[in-house]
Amino acid sequence: MGARHVASDKPYASVKERFDLTGRVAFITGGGGLLGPMHAEAIAELGGIPVLADIDHDRARAAASRISKSLGVRAVAEKVDITDAADIEKVVRRVEKEIGPIGILINNAANDPKVGAGGIENPTRVEKFPIAIWDADLAVGLTGTFLCCQMIGSAMAKRRSGVILNISSDLGIVAPDQRLYERPGTSREMQPVKPITYSVVKHGVIGITKYLATYWATEGVRVNALAPGGVLAGQSAEFLENVSSRIPLGRLASRDEYKGAVAFLCSDASSYVTGAVLIAVGGRTVW
């Protein structure tokens, strides 16, 4: 059994103090994507230094520049391939030399396999799902998450301080409702579906979270997961009406609505929280 510790007897911190991230460096994978810049904003607004890491450097750089200008803070963009351990090591070494030790890791990067038409042209259905796509999706979403945890989390453990936040999904909690994508008059083998790899990755991310939360519990590293729901991103009116009927709050989220959850889980406001999955899906998984 690992060592057990009593609660600190130091003076209680205020809520405001617990949310303060001044000077803390946050490494955010997929930093240039749909939600990566929002995670970075949450860190920056609390005084932290977000490092937006993405294989698409131009996209990450544009997001970092926008954050720096709008908030008047330092935000950095780094190009990295999280499926390549050597590349991660090189980038992390540079970040820690030029900016400071990474105290927060947000594993946000993942392929987002789209719902396809099925059949040979777009074989998203299980019966024809290509192993090449399986390998590619898992390489980013699971192997990439593990490699970043292995490298950055190990350094945190040596320093006996750090926070890891893994981004899962509502589809890491429940199976996709394929009825959302049904096309009347289309045969079953041609019906579009949400690809299986997305569910596998998002469930797996939660498994990594729970494992590492106990593995590093006595080394001062907390590991949690956020399971966000769908985000408004130009979907058709028909789809929005359909999916909203399955959500108690009756709508998808705006992109900025997860910033509070990220702030909580990455700061000392959640200092007694580890191994948890914060489900923020408008109630969808309750029904």
Side-chain angles (χ1 to χ4, degrees), residues 125 183 185-191:
R125 296 189 68 86
R183 294 181 180 174
T186 301
S187 64
R188 184 181 187 280
E189 60 271 15
M190 291 295 290
Q191 285 288 353

Side-chain angles (χ1 to χ4, degrees), residues 42 46 48 50 76 93 183 185 188 212 252:
L46 295 176
V76 180
R93 188 185 300 118
R183 294 181 180 174
R188 184 181 187 280
L212 293 180
L252 294 183

Side-chain angles (χ1 to χ4, degrees), residues 53-153:
D54 203 301
I55 197 167
D56 187 336
H57 194 213
D58 289 341
R59 190 169 62 173
R61 190 161 44 198
S65 176
R66 179 181 57 78
I67 292 169
S68 293
K69 291 177 181 177
S70 64
L71 298 178
V73 298
R74 185 180 186 185
V76 180
E78 289 285 348
K79 181 175 182 178
V80 64
D81 179 356
I82 62 168
T83 68
D84 183 338
D87 197 35
I88 299 171
E89 183 178 14
K90 177 184 68 176
V91 173
V92 167
R93 188 185 300 118
R94 181 169 64 245
V95 167
E96 296 207 328
K97 179 181 179 181
E98 297 178 359
I99 304 174
I102 296 170
I104 299 167
L105 167 62
I106 302 179
N107 284 305
N108 173 73
N111 290 346
D112 185 10
K114 302 303 181 184
V115 175
I120 296 173
E121 295 78 13
N122 197 349
T124 58
R125 296 189 68 86
V126 169
E127 293 83 354
K128 293 183 177 292
F129 199 84
I131 194 65
I133 296 178
W134 173 278
D135 288 343
D137 290 349
L138 268 62
V140 176
L142 287 183
T143 303
T145 294
F146 167 71
L147 289 174
C148 288
C149 286
Q150 183 183 54
M151 193 164 303
I152 298 172

